[in-house]
Every structure is written in C-alpha cells, then in structure tokens.
Amino acid sequence: MARSKTPAWQLFTYQPKLGEDGRWTARSYFNDYAGVRRPIKRSGRTKVAVQAAMRRAVAEAQERYERLKEEAEQAKQAVSPTFAEVAEDWLALRKPAPVEIDAAKQTGTPPTDQIRIQTWTSYENNLRIHVLPLLGPFLLDELRTPHFEKAIHGIYKKKPGKGYRTADMAKQVLSQIMDYAVRQGHRLDNPVRFVSKVPNKQKVPVRLATTTLAAVQEAVQPRHPEPGIGGPRPTSRLSDVILLLRGTGLRIGEALGARWDDVQVEGDRVLLTVSGTLVERKGAFYRQSYPKSSKSHRTLQLTNPLLQQMLRRRYANKGETRTNAVFPTRNGTFVRLSNFRSDLKKAIEDARLSEKITPHTFRSTVGSVIAEAFSDEAAQKQLGHSSPATTRKHYIQRPDLIPDYSSGIDLARPLED
C-alpha cells in the first residue's frame, strides 16, 4: 500500500538531537501548496524550544505564502499603468540632486553617488524624442519583446549609418525602466533583455597628417585686423589651446577647465594635473570639480619645448582672475565649449582646409601616435580612459600587423590552373 502524502504545511517526522555544545538541533521538511518540499533547520537550548521554533517557522512560511498570493490576486485586478507613467517615475527616481554652483568662481560640485546631470539629460531627451511617442500610450502589461525590437531598431538608418549610438542608448534606458517595473511589481519579466543587439557603426579613428597639423596651427594663429577695421584685440588663446590639445590629447573640457592651481612650473619641469572638466548644458555652465572618470584624474609631464614655452609665457603674463583659468576670457571667466568650437570652425573655414577638424580630432591623433610609439596601454593612460579597449576602438588608427607568411609563397613557381 502506497504511503499517504504529507499534507501541506505539516512537518515531516523528525527527532531533535543534542549536540556536543549542549544545544538541540532539528532538521526536517514540509510541503507547500505546490507540493514543493522545503528544508528547515532550527536550534535551541532545549528540546521543547527547538520543536516550538520548527512549528513557528512553518507557520511563518505559510503566512508569507498567503500574503504573496493575496498580493498577486490584487495585482491581477489592478489596472496596469502606461509605459509613459512608469518611465516618468523612473526618470524622477534617477534624477540627481541639483549642482551647487559658485557663480563667482564658475565651479560646481555634483554629487558623486548619483549619475551626472548630463547623463540624466541624455536619458530624458532619448526617451521623449525617440521612445515615448511610440511606446508611451501602451499599458505596461501589453508590451512584449517585438514592440521594443521595432522601436529600438527603428531609430537608426542603415544607409546613412546614423543613429546607432542613439538606438543603443534607447535600449539601455528601456532595459533599466523595465527592470524598475519588475522591482515595483508591475511586471514579472523584462522583455528588453531579449532584443537583438544594435549594430556598431564602423568608424575609423581620425589621425591627422603632420602637414595638416601644421596647417591647422597656422590657421589658428592670431591675426591683426586690416587697417580701418575695428574689433577686439587678437589673442593667442585659440592657438595656445590647440597647441595643448595637439601635445596632450586632452578633452576640450579638460583643457579649457585647466587652472593655474593644476599647473606646476618648477625649473625644467612643467606638470599639468587634470582635476576637473567644464560642463555646458542648457541653463548652466560651470567647472566640474572632478574629471569624467577616476582614470581621467592624472598628471601629465609636459616636456615638449613649445608647450613649455607657451605655458611659461602665459604664466608670466597671468593676472588675477576669479576663476584662476589658464585660458580665461577677457572677463576672467572660463571659455565656453560652444564658443571655442565656433572659433575653431571659423578659423578652419577661413583657411579653406578641406578636412573636418574638431577638438576631438587632436585627441584621436595623439592616441594613435602614442600607441604606435609605445603601446595601447600608454595611450590609454595619456588619454585617461578606464580601459585600453576603449582607446583601441575609438582613438587608435592602426591596422593589425600580420605575421610574416612570405616564406610560404614561392614567386618562382608558375601558377597552375
């Protein structure tokens, strides 16, 4: 005769045992409503206390099960929120605290335990422009992987090769929102995890030729206005910053955000510490008190004579300013990133150079040159990247060196059909 099944939430027969330490221990099992066997173990000072603890543990497990079952029933009856409502809640949760900006010194210290406001703004713009118009009206429990697949892969255009980074960011944001929905009990799964990979745009890092670098440096030299033509007195700021970018590979925000506090001019040594970067966004412009990442905080040895001469000249002629900037405006403030890019673009156009030159172009050129002369790891350290893989992928223009297989090629042997 078959043995009858132990009812749910009832302990299997067990016998407490007395250990060498004088404490009683009991081990047993119980079945839940689904028939799944659950192990249980309790210890106590007396045999009676252990038995009571075993019964109490089973009762608590049954209570948790009943509570979860009730919550699940309530969730079924509740009206599912729309994707737009959950996305707004997620944005509000992730929004960092406001940056406290010292207007006099143009400095700000964002919280380091949250995402940067620039990152949050990118997330918000991506959602409002590319995602919410398509998926916002849907109820959350209606959305399936095909909805997200179509929305994400519909962002980029295959022929022009544009929109891949935007689509990849949309996928990241959507995955985070659906993870949030799972944590809030709105969903049991995250369908974005099964969306196919967004392709990478095949972009070759730019490495400017030596002749082009010389032409750019000539194009940004200060020009005196023609006789009879008014205007502000020309300065060497544009050409000096370009020289620094060419010689270091700094990000433009790091270069324009350099202060004399970060420069050490000692005898033959000139050191530049990257301790912050400029941030320009809608309604705000300030110097962030730390660089882009922890690896970006670095000290560079400036041994090039041209760089040293330029910094020593600026150091000798520097005046008291409220920002202590190495490359200040006439008012002593930091130069806006947008203004610098406009000045560089105009100088390139006036010189009629055909190549597209941006501040970032010098960064990839420096990365390629250092990687070729030393190593990828050396380029990573110079540019302040967190990984050599980032440097190789985006900043080094160098084809792989193939081993010499020429010994297997016999040029003297006639070709056979």
Side-chain angles (χ1 to χ4, degrees):
M1 181 177 179
R3 185 171 58 181
S4 60
K5 188 175 182 179
T6 303
W9 312 112
Q10 181 175 315
L11 282 165
F12 285 45
T13 302
Y14 68 95
Q15 185 63 42
K17 295 182 180 181
L18 181 62
E20 295 180 357
D21 58 354
R23 293 178 61 84
W24 289 84
T25 302
R27 291 183 175 86
S28 185
Y29 299 88
F30 65 90
N31 292 329
D32 60 19
Y33 279 140
V36 178
R37 179 178 294 187
R38 307 287 184 182
I40 183 173
K41 174 186 175 182
R42 291 293 183 274
S43 300
R45 293 183 178 180
T46 65
K47 183 176 181 180
V48 173
V50 169
Q51 292 172 330
M54 294 285 281
R55 292 191 298 270
R56 188 165 55 251
V58 175
E60 290 172 353
Q62 183 178 5
E63 183 181 343
R64 286 195 301 271
Y65 183 91
E66 297 291 350
R67 185 171 63 253
L68 291 174
K69 183 178 179 182
E70 182 180 353
E71 291 175 356
E73 289 297 327
Q74 292 175 354
K76 288 182 181 179
Q77 298 174 7
V79 178
S80 173
T82 64
F83 176 81
E85 292 171 338
V86 176
E88 293 291 349
D89 290 344
W90 177 82
L91 276 174
L93 179 68
R94 296 301 308 275
K95 187 173 183 177
V99 179
E100 297 182 1
I101 301 176
D102 184 334
K105 297 182 178 180
Q106 281 189 300
T107 57
T109 305
T112 56
D113 59 341
Q114 300 170 325
I115 61 174
R116 297 180 302 161
I117 187 63
Q118 304 96 289
T119 304
W120 184 88
T121 302
S122 297
Y123 287 169
E124 183 190 34
N125 291 339
N126 192 290
L127 270 173
R128 300 200 188 286
I129 296 173
H130 302 287
V131 176
L132 291 181
L134 294 174
L135 302 179
F138 280 88
L139 295 178
L140 202 64
D141 57 8
E142 294 177 337
L143 290 170
R144 300 291 182 267
T145 298
H147 295 100
F148 294 107
E149 180 84 16
K150 183 177 180 180
I152 292 170
H153 288 277
I155 292 175
Y156 61 86
K157 299 177 181 179
K158 294 184 177 180
K159 286 187 178 179
K162 297 180 179 179
Y164 291 111
R165 293 182 62 182
T166 304
D168 191 57
M169 176 180 286
K171 184 179 179 181
Q172 296 176 33
V173 171
L174 285 169
S175 185
Q176 292 186 51
I177 292 174
M178 295 309 291
D179 279 343
Y180 169 75
V182 172
R183 292 193 298 272
Q184 297 302 307
H186 299 311
R187 294 278 305 213
L188 297 176
D189 64 332
N190 180 353
V192 183
R193 295 182 181 275
F194 302 99
V195 172
S196 59
K197 183 180 179 181
V198 176
N200 291 323
K201 181 181 178 181
Q202 298 299 318
K203 184 178 179 181
V204 179
V206 177
R207 177 176 177 177
L208 297 178
T210 304
T211 53
T212 304
L213 288 171
V216 171
Q217 196 67 56
E218 173 61 24
V220 298
Q221 291 300 315
R223 298 286 192 272
H224 292 280
E226 296 292 333
I229 299 178
R233 181 169 55 86
T235 72
S236 63
R237 185 178 61 232
L238 179 60
S239 62
D240 288 349
V241 174
I242 293 300
L243 184 65
L244 183 65
L245 296 179
R246 285 180 52 197
T248 61
L250 289 175
R251 299 177 178 91
I252 183 58
E254 296 172 342
L256 293 178
R259 305 166 306 171
W260 287 115
D261 297 342
D262 306 317
V263 180
Q264 298 179 44
V265 181
E266 303 173 351
D268 296 336
R269 283 165 53 90
V270 177
L271 304 178
L272 173 62
T273 297
V274 180
S275 64
T277 186
L278 295 184
V279 175
E280 183 178 7
R281 56 185 176 82
K282 186 177 180 180
F285 173 62
Y286 56 92
R287 184 185 187 275
Q288 182 176 279
S289 57
Y290 54 85
K292 186 175 182 180
S293 66
S294 58
K295 292 289 186 181
S296 298
H297 193 283
R298 60 202 188 278
T299 297
L300 304 178
Q301 300 185 56
L302 308 183
T303 57
N304 185 283
L306 292 177
L307 274 180
Q308 288 199 0
Q309 180 182 358
M310 179 270 290
L311 284 172
R312 291 178 190 278
R313 168 173 50 79
R314 298 192 73 90
Y315 183 77
N317 298 325
K318 75 182 181 73
E320 294 295 329
T321 63
R322 56 194 177 105
T323 58
N324 204 24
V326 175
F327 305 103
T329 64
R330 298 181 190 277
N331 298 324
T333 60
F334 289 111
V335 177
R336 285 184 173 269
L337 307 177
S338 55
N339 290 345
F340 181 84
R341 291 189 177 99
S342 297
D343 291 343
L344 175 60
K345 182 179 179 181
K346 184 178 185 307
I348 297 299
E349 290 175 349
D350 290 346
R352 298 183 179 180
L353 298 180
S354 58
E355 294 189 54
K356 181 180 178 180
I357 309 293
T358 67
H360 208 73
T361 309
F362 304 107
R363 185 167 168 79
S364 60
T365 301
V366 170
S368 296
V369 170
I370 291 181
E372 183 177 290
F374 299 97
S375 66
D376 294 355
E377 289 71 22
Q380 172 217 346
K381 293 178 180 179
Q382 177 74 23
L383 299 183
H385 289 147
S386 58
S387 167
T390 302
T391 313
R392 279 191 291 268
K393 182 177 180 181
H394 300 289
Y395 295 88
I396 298 177
Q397 187 193 78
R398 182 187 61 196
D400 293 336
L401 180 63
I402 303 301
D404 184 8
Y405 300 122
S406 58
S407 59
I409 304 174
D410 188 355
L411 295 179
R413 180 182 301 174
L415 295 177
E416 299 179 358
D417 295 334

